[in-house]
Amino acid sequence: MSFGDRLAERVAQRESQIVLGLDPDPAGLWPDAVERAPAQGPAVRRAASAVAMHCAALIDAAGPACVAVKPQLACFERLGADGWAVLAAVVDHARASGLLVIADGKRGDISVSAAAYARALVGSTPTPFGDVGGLGVDAFTANPLLGVDALEPMVDGARAVDAGVFVLVRTSNPGAADVQDLELDGGGTVWERLAQIVAQLGQAGEGSGLADVGAVVGATAPEHVARMRELMPDAPLLLPGIGAQGGRVEDLAPAFAPGRAGGLVSASRSIAAAHESHGGEPAAAARAEAERLRAAAWALS
C-alpha cells in the first residue's frame, strides 16, 4: 500500500488529522519525567531518560487524538548516542500506539548521501553482515534547495518501502519570505516552483489518490494554501505553525480539498505546554488541546 493510501486509511481510522510534534527540551520537560529520572549517573544519560519518559507520557496523553507524531530529530540528536537511542524508543512507542511517525530532519544532499538519508530514516542498508535497520519511520521531511536530482534518491528510497517524503515548500518561520517568496525571472515565486517539483515527483495512491510526496506548508501563511492546492492537487500538506507560532486551523480549509487526509495539522508546544496556558495537570491539558484541534480540523474538512 502506498504512503498516500496508508495515510488516508489511518486518518479515517483515527478520525484525526493532527500531528503531535515532539520537540523535547531537557530544560522544559513535564515535572513527573524530571522527578522520575535517575538521580545518579552521567548528566546526558539522566537527561535522556527524562526525555524518554516525557515523550512517552505525551504520546499516551495526546496520542489518542492524533494520527501521527513528528519528532524533531535535532532535539534528540543533541543528546548524542543516548538521544538517538531515545528517539528509536519513542518511534517504537508511537507506532505501538497506532500512530504514524514523520521524522522532521529536513534532510538534503546529493547522490549517495541522499540515498543514505532515506535508508537511515525509513529503510535498511544491505551489508556483507546482513541488512542493517534504519529508524523505520513512515515519512520524513526533506530540503529541496539542492534540486530535483537531490530529492529523487530520497523519494526513491522512501517509495521502495511505501514511505513518504514531505518537501519544504513554504515554511512557517518569518524568514521564509527571505528566499521562498522571491520572484523568479520567468514568473512566479521560489515556493511556487518548489510546489511544481513536488507535484512532479509524487505518485498518487490507487485507492485514495493522495501522492506519496507531500509538502511542508506553514500554517502561518494561510493565504498561500489555496494556490498550493492548485499547484499540488494530490499532495498531502503538512501544516506546522499552529498555536505557538500563531497559525489557526480555521484558516486552512483549502488544504483538505483532496479529502480529509489532504491536510495534516501539526502542533508541538501548544499541546505539550497546554498546562502553562490553560492550567491543570500536563497530561490532561495536552489531551484537551489535542482534542480541541482534532475537532476543529475534522469539522473544517
Side-chain angles (χ1 to χ4, degrees), residues 29-279:
L29 304 176
W30 285 359
D32 185 61
V34 176
E35 293 167 5
R36 292 170 54 204
Q40 304 294 326
V44 67
R45 194 146 299 163
R46 295 165 57 208
S49 176
V51 166
M53 288 186 282
H54 168 88
C55 289
L58 182 53
I59 290 170
D60 290 344
C66 301
V67 70
V69 298
K70 182 173 70 66
Q72 170 49 255
L73 301 189
C75 291
F76 296 88
E77 290 170 344
R78 64 184 168 188
L79 296 174
D82 292 288
W84 191 260
V86 169
L87 174 61
V90 167
V91 169
D92 288 345
H93 189 75
R95 299 193 76 169
S97 301
L99 297 162
L100 297 174
V101 181
I102 303 169
D104 191 4
K106 303 173 180 68
R107 302 307 199 210
D109 213 323
I110 61 171
S111 185
V112 173
S113 299
Y117 276 135
R119 288 190 178 276
L121 294 173
V122 300
S124 62
T125 301
T127 76
F129 317 101
D131 286 353
V132 177
L135 193 59
V137 300
D138 298 283
F140 59 89
T141 58
N143 188 325
L145 291 184
L146 278 74
V148 174
D149 66 334
L151 287 173
E152 286 174 335
M154 290 190 282
V155 171
D156 290 344
R159 186 171 289 148
V161 291
D162 297 325
V165 178
F166 287 91
V167 177
L168 304 182
V169 171
R170 211 303 181 169
T171 54
S172 60
N173 58 304
D178 296 342
V179 174
Q180 296 160 25
D181 290 355
L182 293 178
E183 294 283 340
L184 301 176
D185 287 343
T189 61
V190 170
W191 69 256
E192 287 176 308
R193 176 62 188 129
L194 297 177
Q196 291 168 345
I197 290 171
V198 168
Q200 167 190 332
L201 290 174
Q203 290 184 4
E206 293 181 1
S208 66
L210 272 184
D212 53 2
V213 179
V216 178
V217 177
T220 52
E223 66 275 13
H224 296 316
V225 175
R227 176 60 176 156
M228 295 282 184
R229 262 296 157 236
E230 292 177 13
L231 295 171
M232 302 177 290
D234 304 323
L237 304 185
L238 179 60
L239 302 155
I242 294 296
Q245 295 185 58
R248 296 178 352 113
V249 173
E250 293 78 7
D251 297 330
L252 303 175
F256 304 103
R260 280 179 157 149
L264 298 175
V265 177
S266 178
S268 304
R269 284 171 288 170
S270 61
I271 294 177
H275 60 291
E276 298 176 4
S277 303
H278 307 296

